Amino acid sequence: MPTPTPLFVAGLGRSGTTALTQVLSSHPDIALGVERFKRLYPLDEPVSADLFSRARFFDFSDELTNLTPHSSPQWAKHYATMETKWEQARYVGDKMVAIRLQHTWSSLPQARFVCIVRDIEPVAASWETRAQDPDDLGWKSNQDAMGAVKRWNRALGRIRRAVKQRPEHAVVVEYDRFFGDPAGQALGNVLTWLGLDRTDTVDRAFERAHRHFVDVVAPKDRALPPATLAFLDEQAHRKVWREVLDLAL
């Protein structure tokens, strides 16, 4: 078997990275983790090829993530499925919310990234909801609506730079367009970019994601107070946002 190509789903938290990972990893030629090396990506340690050997990837004793099959049982089935196809997959990789594209390319120059972006208002509203929930131990209280803006701006800048510089190694999709289109045109474009055919398994996974978007995500009330909206209008890099949208598949 040829050596698989590293593939990452990258995007700011609450931008659809998990849903995109689930759809893409339903393809028989794609096997992706769910922030398998979550604690490594923000560091300046290399993202090395050996991390993605089957033995290394599925040994969670390194404590580089809190999303293990044991601590997060909802991912046990996912990882079991990924392990069965790991050796035959054309692409293996992970979900990354730290968005370290240039850093990753320094050690994995052949890596490919499917980036996902989402408008600041729903992202900020989602951050605010989680920050205000005292029972959400996986989210920091200072990661609120206003805290989202700096991270959103930085993510957009990094994605714009990567897609412009290395379009053969990085593409971007926009959350609403991707999941809101019942035909899944953007999904088809991503698969074509990866050199993969569209399969029944991908279509079924996309249909579930699309229905969730229509029934749950789109109708959600994300009202933010006027002061917060004013802060977003002042601080969010809307020009960069429009440029990234122009690059989206």
Side-chain angles (χ1 to χ4, degrees):
M1 280 291 294
T3 302
T5 299
L7 176 64
F8 296 89
V9 167
L12 183 64
R14 316 309 297 168
S15 295
T17 53
T18 298
L20 180 57
T21 297
Q22 291 176 310
V23 170
L24 292 180
S25 61
S26 69
H27 194 286
D29 288 328
I30 299 176
L32 301 174
V34 185
E35 295 183 76
R36 170 61 184 88
F37 298 111
K38 177 180 181 179
R39 293 171 177 147
L40 173 69
Y41 297 136
L43 307 177
D44 289 330
E45 299 295 322
V47 182
S48 55
D50 66 283
L51 294 172
F52 298 93
S53 68
R54 181 180 176 186
R56 178 71 177 80
F57 195 86
F58 295 97
D59 178 3
F60 293 89
S61 63
D62 56 28
E63 299 185 349
L64 287 174
T65 185
N66 62 325
L67 303 175
T68 68
H70 175 70
S71 63
S72 301
Q74 68 268 33
W75 297 118
K77 182 178 179 181
H78 174 86
Y79 275 110
T81 301
M82 296 304 102
E83 189 168 14
T84 62
K85 63 177 179 176
W86 197 262
E87 301 291 352
Q88 290 74 42
R90 288 177 55 185
Y91 293 94
V92 300
D94 201 10
K95 167 189 162 183
M96 176 188 290
V97 297
I99 319 183
R100 301 293 304 279
L101 290 85
Q102 303 292 340
H103 174 68
T104 303
W105 279 329
S106 67
S107 52
L108 289 176
Q110 74 277 30
R112 303 181 83 172
F113 286 85
V114 180
C115 306
I116 186 165
V117 296
R118 192 180 188 188
D119 202 355
I120 183 58
E121 288 188 21
V123 170
S126 184
W127 279 48
E128 183 71 23
T129 298
R130 294 197 65 174
Q132 296 300 321
D133 183 356
D135 297 324
D136 191 343
L137 302 180
W139 200 262
K140 297 178 182 178
S141 59
N142 64 349
Q143 291 178 295
D144 57 8
M146 293 185 178
V149 180
K150 181 178 179 180
R151 296 279 297 276
W152 186 80
N153 289 340
R154 183 172 63 185
L156 288 181
R158 290 180 175 181
I159 290 170
R160 178 185 61 173
R161 176 187 176 193
V163 174
K164 283 187 171 183
Q165 287 185 343
R166 302 191 73 194
E168 73 282 9
H169 286 274
V171 293
V172 60
V173 298
E174 192 274 325
Y175 179 85
D176 285 359
R177 293 181 193 171
F178 188 92
F179 291 107
D181 175 15
Q185 181 177 342
L187 170 62
N189 292 340
V190 169
L191 294 175
T192 298
W193 178 75
L194 292 170
L196 300 175
D197 293 329
R198 196 155 173 165
T199 67
D200 289 342
T201 56
V202 166
D203 282 340
R204 287 194 295 271
F206 177 78
E207 174 60 21
R208 290 192 295 271
H210 170 68
R211 290 312 317 168
H212 179 78
F213 176 86
V214 171
D215 296 339
V216 178
V217 177
K220 190 173 292 186
D221 180 11
R222 299 188 183 87
L224 289 167
T228 302
L229 291 174
F231 180 84
L232 300 185
D233 286 341
E234 180 180 338
Q235 299 294 326
H237 293 173
R238 293 288 186 179
K239 180 175 182 291
V240 180
W241 168 247
R242 291 190 293 271
E243 291 177 2
V244 171
L245 288 185
D246 287 341
L247 295 170
L249 294 180

